[in-house]
Amino acid sequence: MKRIVITDLHKSFDIAQRKVLDGIHMALAPGINCLMGASGIGKTTLARILAGLAEPDSGTVIWQDFSLPPRVKQGCIGYVFQEDRLLEWQTALANLLFVDTQKNSVRAIDLLTQAGLADSIHKKAADLSGGMKRRVTLCRALMGSHDLLILDEPFKGLDDNIKQTAIKMVQVWHSENPEAILLCITHDEDEVRQLGGQRLHL
Amino acid sequence: MMHFSSFRRRLACAGRGVRRFLFVTARWFADAAKHLIWLLPVIAFWLLVWHIVAWCVGSEIIIVSPRAAFARLFVLAQTREFWLAVLTSLRRISLGFVLAMGAGAAMAVLAAASRVFSRLVTPAVGVVNAMPLASFVLLVLFLFGRENLSVVVPFVMVLPLVYHNVHKGIIGTDSALLEMARVFRVPFGRQVRHIYMKSIAPHLLTAVSVGIGFAWKSGISAELIGVARGTIGGYLHRAQVNIQTADMYAWTIAIVALSLLIDKGFAMVMRVARKGGAA
């Protein structure tokens, strides 16, 4: 079975030698994995290490039973960052197509419509509200069939109705990609309950 | 059928682009005409000042009156040599400018990619930047000869400007966006087009708009100091040696007019491109 096994992971930052991750052991199985923990405990740092954006000081991350580690394959990691990281001067649609190698505009329009952004498909990201940008960011991450999908506080700033829609979209994506490992970082117990899956605490 | 509809879509898109271009160009000319109405009295005022000063000095060798200068320019503009000199200077200076744009941008890319290259090149570019134009012209004169002066000098003068600006644009690229592109494994070409170019473009435009004037002035000065035959600078030098003050004024007016024309032409192109891009 595909799994990501994290063993004795350590990470500290140069500034004041602050230890962020101190001997973390964890296994991520296909399906939804909700990672919880207090602020500043290292959830985002762990996600960044998994995505290949940061190197651990020591410890191992083993991609078990993957043909190739997703880090070296194209389009195999999807990521909703804490910040939106959109191309502000481009439209919502262009932002989705930017990350998609197949340039599948049908899929992109479908996702944006599902997210309630049908009227904003051709609006520039800079002209969207905070909540709309967040949904574009989520749609961008759901564009591909990734091996690993990391959602770092993906529903931050969304009102209840829209949050329900967004959670539904994530669940649909998961049902379409049952082999994928989905790691959702959140502080909200309610979100964890609705998403279901494995709970992990840091 | 699919191909035909795609062709029609592209044709319609091109039609819209042409209409947009014509609209923006017409607006530019209308704005320029409006601007000219205000500018004409200002020009008339300064011509009057020039005329009064020339009249007070009373010597056509020291200061030529505007009437005599423009009359001489009118005569010169009817000669083949005048236009040949203008074309020769324009061609050489433009070549130096274009080469500087290419080399400066390439060097900036290399410097952003390699710290060793950056450490090697940055002091050299700084030295060139600090070097007085006259001493540089004399050095170039021995190396490349008179003919190539107005290619080499604008090239070396504009290169640091392009290098610094493009380098600033590259290193100022939003690292969060680059990280996002890295996670999603966006091909490098697409990253360049959509992320890097967005950051570089304003710096590059600054380099071009400042560099055009810089290349023109340094190129003419190089021709003058190096006495390059058959060029604007060469004729200016000849007029000075022969104490043909009216010729000196006429050539200077031609240089200023050409400089303004190039500057305004570039501004117009940029405005059309920007409006076209925004449409």
Side-chain angles (χ1 to χ4, degrees):
Chain A
M1 191 179 73
K2 281 182 180 177
R3 277 191 341 155
I4 298 174
V5 180
I6 299 158
T7 315
D8 198 24
L9 209 64
H10 290 263
K11 176 76 182 173
S12 56
F13 288 107
D14 292 341
I15 307 157
Q17 280 296 304
R18 191 168 66 91
K19 278 196 171 178
V20 181
L21 300 173
D22 194 8
I24 301 295
H25 295 268
M26 196 178 277
L28 302 175
I32 299 173
N33 299 270
C34 292
L35 181 62
M36 300 184 76
S39 290
I41 206 155
K43 301 183 294 294
T44 298
T45 305
L46 178 64
R48 287 176 60 80
I49 290 171
L50 290 174
L53 296 175
E55 287 296 323
D57 296 338
S58 63
T60 54
V61 176
I62 297 166
W63 303 83
Q64 238 171 42
D65 290 337
F66 286 90
S67 55
L68 274 171
R71 283 169 58 176
V72 299
K73 284 200 286 179
Q74 188 163 19
C76 285
I77 297 179
Y79 203 136
V80 172
F81 293 91
Q82 265 187 28
E83 324 80 43
D84 297 320
R85 302 196 186 190
L86 293 172
L87 307 177
E88 296 280 327
W89 55 94
Q90 295 209 338
T91 63
L93 179 62
N95 267 283
L96 266 60
L97 297 179
F98 176 69
V99 300
D100 187 31
T101 41
Q102 270 111 47
K103 295 250 175 197
N104 187 347
S105 53
V106 176
R107 165 94 177 140
I109 290 169
D110 182 41
L111 279 170
L112 290 169
T113 309
Q114 279 180 46
L117 295 168
D119 295 335
S120 307
I121 287 171
H122 299 292
K123 277 189 188 161
K124 287 190 178 163
D127 298 332
L128 301 177
S129 69
M132 289 162 117
K133 284 182 184 175
R134 204 68 198 140
R135 280 179 277 165
V136 175
T137 311
L138 179 65
C139 291
R140 181 176 65 188
L142 301 181
M143 272 296 282
S145 304
H146 315 292
D147 285 334
L148 171 65
L149 177 62
I150 299 168
L151 309 175
D152 195 351
E153 301 188 26
F155 313 117
K156 192 174 62 180
L158 298 183
D159 65 43
D160 278 345
N161 279 343
I162 295 168
K163 193 190 280 185
Q164 296 309 315
T165 312
I167 289 174
K168 183 91 187 139
M169 286 175 73
V170 172
Q171 286 169 332
V172 169
W173 185 90
H174 167 56
S175 65
E176 288 167 357
N177 301 276
E179 289 284 289
I181 295 171
L182 199 152
L183 178 68
C184 181
I185 298 170
T186 179
H187 294 282
D188 193 331
E189 277 287 347
D190 231 28
E191 287 173 11
V192 176
R193 195 171 36 75
Q194 288 180 60
L195 276 169
Q198 187 188 195
R199 276 170 191 244
L200 302 163
H201 285 272
L202 210 60
Chain B
M1 193 64 192
M2 188 86 168
H3 288 296
F4 184 66
S5 68
S6 158
F7 174 72
R8 272 181 53 182
R9 228 180 9 252
R10 279 183 190 177
L11 204 66
C13 190
R16 273 200 302 275
V18 170
R19 273 203 302 277
R20 179 88 208 158
F21 175 80
L22 290 175
F23 175 72
V24 174
T25 312
R27 282 239 343 234
W28 186 85
F29 276 110
D31 287 351
K34 222 183 288 175
H35 186 60
L36 209 62
I37 290 170
W38 288 103
L39 201 64
L40 282 175
V42 177
I43 294 171
F45 169 78
W46 286 110
L47 284 175
L48 185 69
V49 170
W50 178 5
H51 183 79
I52 292 168
V53 172
W55 181 72
C56 288
V57 172
S59 164
E60 287 281 312
I61 290 175
I62 299 169
I63 293 186
V64 169
S65 70
R67 203 175 134 266
F70 281 102
R72 185 63 193 144
L73 179 63
F74 184 70
V75 172
L76 283 175
Q78 291 174 54
T79 62
R80 193 166 164 269
E81 286 75 25
F82 176 86
W83 293 108
L84 265 179
V86 166
L87 281 178
T88 307
S89 294
L90 263 179
R91 185 168 48 83
R92 289 182 186 166
I93 293 168
S94 303
L95 180 64
F97 175 75
V98 170
L99 290 175
M101 291 298 296
M107 280 166 64
V109 171
L110 285 173
S114 153
R115 195 170 289 179
V116 176
F117 185 84
S118 170
R119 283 190 181 156
L120 273 174
V121 162
T122 306
V125 171
V127 168
V128 172
N129 223 1
M131 200 181 272
L133 180 70
S135 50
F136 191 77
V137 170
L138 295 175
L139 293 174
V140 171
L141 192 61
F142 287 120
L143 272 170
F144 297 96
R146 287 176 207 283
E147 300 300 306
N148 300 313
L149 261 182
S150 44
V151 178
V152 179
V153 170
F155 171 81
V156 179
M157 290 291 134
V158 174
L159 188 125
L161 193 69
V162 179
Y163 170 79
H164 283 305
N165 274 281
V166 175
H167 190 251
K168 206 191 285 178
I170 296 172
I171 58 172
T173 306
D174 189 340
S175 58
L177 288 180
L178 290 175
E179 207 174 63
M180 178 273 292
R182 207 172 120 203
V183 168
F184 284 99
R185 303 292 185 269
V186 175
F188 184 66
R190 206 183 295 172
Q191 288 185 39
V192 170
R193 250 193 345 270
H194 294 278
I195 302 178
Y196 281 106
M197 281 315 290
K198 185 69 189 172
S199 171
I200 295 168
H203 295 279
L204 191 65
L205 281 183
T206 307
V208 172
S209 64
V210 176
I212 284 178
F214 206 37
W216 183 243
K217 281 176 212 160
S218 63
I220 299 288
S221 304
E223 288 172 352
L224 177 73
I225 298 167
V227 198
R229 257 169 290 167
T231 63
I232 296 178
Y235 280 110
L236 201 57
H237 179 263
R238 198 170 75 180
Q240 188 239 334
V241 169
N242 297 334
I243 321 175
Q244 294 165 325
T245 316
D247 278 37
M248 276 167 55
Y249 275 73
W251 279 109
T252 305
I253 292 168
I255 292 165
V256 171
L258 281 166
S259 179
L260 285 174
L261 209 67
I262 294 166
D263 198 42
K264 295 291 169 196
F266 175 73
M268 192 190 93
V269 170
M270 279 303 104
R271 202 166 138 178
V272 170
R274 212 170 289 148
K275 293 247 171 107

